[in-house]
Amino acid sequence: SAAAVSRAWAEASGTPDADAADCARAVEAGDPRARAVWQEAVDALADGLVIAHTLLDPRTLIVGGGLAEAGETLFAPLRAAVADRMTFQQLPRIIPAALGDAAGCLGAGLLAWDLLTTHLTEVSA
């Protein structure tokens, strides 16, 4: 998660208020400490995606959240890490979520709207 990367990068960089975006920028600049933190996150995410893919066999894996905001800084090594872990499975496409980091908030809002309109329909019936 972006929070875990933020904590690890804050510790590795010695900057208490450093966050995942700072780590991504440091990766792009070639900082070896940032690359180590980033690779640990990529490896953990790749492990989870391979397990999910093995169980569910989707053609496409959609990755969202804060780390996805890093774009190809995340997706290039993630695709490579997933490909390295695949054995018998067909390699899925790995793409960023179209709604980005706002997906959770939009989903919660739609759920609330649905619950509200369902309740109003039941009351007026």
Side-chain angles (χ1 to χ4, degrees):
S1 70
V5 171
S6 295
R7 286 189 302 274
W9 178 236
E11 183 178 330
S13 68
T15 307
D17 61 341
D19 63 13
D22 296 328
C23 185
R25 285 189 288 275
V27 167
E28 293 165 1
D31 185 309
R33 297 169 304 160
R35 285 184 178 193
V37 167
W38 199 256
Q39 191 60 51
E40 185 176 344
V42 166
D43 287 343
L45 182 54
D47 288 343
L49 291 177
V50 169
I51 290 168
H53 179 68
T54 301
L55 293 172
L56 304 172
D57 195 28
R59 294 180 189 195
T60 303
L61 297 172
I62 301 170
V63 179
L67 285 184
E69 298 295 317
E72 285 304 304
T73 301
L74 173 68
F75 286 96
L78 180 60
R79 289 181 187 112
V82 167
D84 287 346
R85 287 162 171 76
M86 290 290 183
T87 54
F88 61 89
Q89 310 92 326
Q90 186 173 18
L91 193 62
R93 288 185 329 135
I94 300 174
I95 61 172
L99 298 175
D101 203 23
C105 292
L106 292 170
L110 288 172
L111 179 59
W113 180 261
D114 185 49
L115 291 172
L116 180 63
T117 56
T118 300
H119 177 72
L120 290 176
T121 303
E122 290 171 356
V123 170
S124 62

